[in-house]
Amino acid sequence: MMTMDTAITDLNPFQARNIIEEMRKGSVPADYVPLFTVGRSNWLNFIEDDLVNYIAEGGAKVRFLHGGYGDGKTHFMSVIRHIGMRQGFAVSFVVLTRDVPIHKFEAVYQSIVQQLQGDFPGIGIRSLLNSWLSSLAEKDTVPERDEILNLAETLRNLPEMNVNFANGLIALVKNRFSPLEEGELQEERTESRETLFRWFEGGKVTKRELKPFSVFEVVNKANSKQILNSLNSFLRFYGHKGIILLLDELETVLSQAKSIRNAAYENVRLLIDNTEHAAYFHIFFAIIPEVLLSEKGFKSYDALWSRVRSIGQQQDQRLNYRGVLVDLHRTPLKSEELITLGQSLRQIHQISY
């Protein structure tokens, strides 16, 4: 992935052409956005300041990226992803669709852990866990029984740590480092590890399969938010500053039936409420104006509207760069910034061909 300090001249022809082809399809080349990001420095500077001096110190916050189609919400979120990872956060960028509907938070959880990135190779919670296990193996001696017991105690006592999540972590450590028991086959050990990975990923697994690991709940709607907090706790234990969730295209709920919209808005409300009790946690929702203005938008669900009414009012007020509403619609790119963007894209095009 490109860093914020990468120059266009560092691109090879394949990378440059990949950018051009993604843009031709109308997609944001997320890994390369620092190369053609211009303007909106006020928003980005204040967001980065919040991440460094508030979220990384134990704060939690929800922001809404507000803009019409073509205002650059997805691009802006991709920039935040780069900034967050540069500052030591784990980040997950999820596009809310009919396959990943916000009204089914367990499905959103699955996508969050699938898209998780941080200071570890690869992407997804499985990559995170494998990286952690490998780091334990890199020590002078592999963990023995007493060390595993001490690690278990440490993990279970982490703030916001769910006991099932902690037990799952310890089960992975035992699976990786404990000698095979008499009569146990390596294939059985591998199968057990796969079961644990599926549980962490929110996949299909039965309570019966989990019982040997002292994991007594599958990931579901009732506990998925608690499991998410446990993930954040583990990420901090593993050296990250916290977690940033980037949830794009919340407006997909506008076309849904009222019952589904209400369930979706209830989950948004719960996520907002969760930040009041969470730490090291930042959520960004991307929304179009209709989400705030339409009768099918936030105002249709009183429990949510009572929490976000002030956001709608901010549209007519002076811009607040530290506020909850990041109004991209009211801060379009200036002419000189568009010229700079065009020059960058022309340079990328020259490299690609």
Side-chain angles (χ1 to χ4, degrees):
M1 185 174 70
M2 300 286 106
T3 69
M4 298 296 286
D5 300 320
T6 302
I8 290 176
T9 52
D10 295 327
L11 290 173
N12 61 44
F14 174 79
Q15 291 171 322
R17 185 168 294 195
N18 190 36
I19 293 172
I20 298 299
E21 291 302 322
E22 285 297 307
M23 298 186 76
R24 196 192 309 278
K25 293 184 290 186
S27 302
V28 175
D31 288 341
Y32 301 96
V33 289
L35 300 178
F36 49 94
T37 294
V38 296
R40 287 162 175 161
S41 57
N42 278 346
W43 291 121
L44 293 171
N45 289 339
F46 279 105
I47 287 171
E48 185 163 13
D49 179 73
D50 255 2
L51 291 175
V52 173
N53 297 308
Y54 180 59
I55 306 300
E57 296 298 323
K61 195 167 187 175
V62 174
R63 274 190 172 99
F64 293 88
L65 304 186
H66 173 262
Y69 295 112
D71 276 336
K73 299 185 298 298
T74 301
H75 181 104
F76 195 86
M77 279 191 160
S78 297
V79 177
I80 295 172
R81 179 170 71 105
H82 282 265
I83 292 173
M85 292 183 66
R86 184 182 67 192
Q87 293 297 344
F89 288 85
V91 182
S92 184
F93 191 144
V94 173
V95 180
L96 301 172
T97 64
R98 287 183 178 271
D99 294 326
V100 187
I102 186 66
H103 72 278
K104 293 184 178 179
F105 193 79
E106 62 273 28
V108 177
Y109 169 83
Q110 291 173 1
S111 191
I112 287 171
V113 297
Q114 287 170 5
Q115 300 301 322
L116 188 68
Q117 291 181 278
D119 188 20
F120 53 89
I123 182 171
I125 193 170
R126 188 178 295 227
S127 295
L128 165 68
L129 295 171
N130 276 324
S131 176
W132 175 58
L133 292 171
S134 295
S135 72
L136 296 177
E138 289 170 0
K139 296 181 178 180
D140 293 336
T141 57
V142 297
E144 296 184 353
R145 184 176 181 277
D146 288 345
E147 291 175 287
I148 292 175
L149 289 174
N150 290 335
L151 179 60
E153 187 69 15
T154 298
L155 289 170
R156 292 187 184 112
N157 288 325
L158 291 175
E160 299 295 324
M161 177 57 71
N162 173 276
V163 65
N164 292 293
F165 198 97
N167 287 347
L169 293 172
I170 294 305
L172 278 176
V173 174
K174 292 178 178 178
N175 179 282
R176 173 74 176 267
F177 298 110
S178 296
L180 290 174
E181 297 181 5
E182 186 176 351
E184 183 184 11
L185 300 176
Q186 184 59 50
E187 290 79 5
E188 295 173 322
R189 183 68 63 94
T190 302
E191 186 177 325
S192 294
R193 184 163 60 249
E194 180 61 28
T195 298
L196 287 163
F197 280 142
R198 286 204 313 274
W199 182 82
F200 279 108
E201 291 169 337
K204 192 172 183 180
V205 60
T206 66
K207 290 185 177 181
R208 182 178 180 180
E209 291 175 296
L210 296 170
K211 189 175 180 180
F213 314 119
S214 297
V215 176
F216 301 108
E217 290 184 333
V218 296
V219 179
N220 54 44
K221 181 178 180 179
N223 64 20
S224 53
K225 297 180 186 68
Q226 187 180 17
I227 297 297
L228 182 59
N229 287 336
S230 298
L231 170 61
N232 192 18
S233 184
F234 173 67
L235 283 164
R236 295 230 341 117
F237 172 75
Y238 192 42
H240 293 78
K241 299 287 184 63
I243 190 168
I244 301 170
L245 301 186
L246 302 161
L247 304 179
D248 200 4
E249 299 188 16
L250 181 59
E251 64 270 12
T252 55
V253 303
L254 294 175
S255 61
Q256 302 288 336
K258 183 177 180 179
S259 59
I260 293 177
R261 289 201 312 273
N262 286 348
Y265 294 150
E266 174 64 8
N267 278 336
V268 174
R269 184 190 70 81
L270 290 173
L271 282 169
I272 294 173
D273 289 349
N274 189 50
T275 61
E276 295 181 356
H277 308 287
Y280 311 100
F281 194 41
H282 204 328
I283 305 177
F284 292 85
F285 288 102
I287 60 174
I288 61 174
E290 285 77 5
V291 173
L292 295 177
L293 301 175
S294 168
E295 294 303 318
K296 293 183 178 181
F298 286 168
K299 63 176 63 176
S300 69
Y301 192 70
D302 289 341
L304 174 60
W305 186 239
S306 64
R307 300 299 310 275
V308 302
R309 187 190 307 272
S310 61
I311 299 174
Q313 295 170 347
Q314 287 180 32
Q315 295 179 91
D316 303 318
Q317 298 174 357
R318 183 178 177 181
L319 288 171
N320 177 8
Y321 289 101
R322 287 201 183 277
V324 174
L325 188 71
V326 179
D327 201 334
L328 302 182
H329 189 65
R330 291 177 61 193
T331 51
L333 297 181
K334 301 174 183 177
S335 297
E336 57 269 26
E337 292 168 343
L338 290 171
I339 292 172
T340 301
L341 174 60
Q343 291 170 340
S344 297
L345 293 176
R346 184 173 65 179
Q347 189 177 0
I348 293 171
H349 196 276
Q350 288 172 339
I351 294 172
S352 68
Y353 297 100

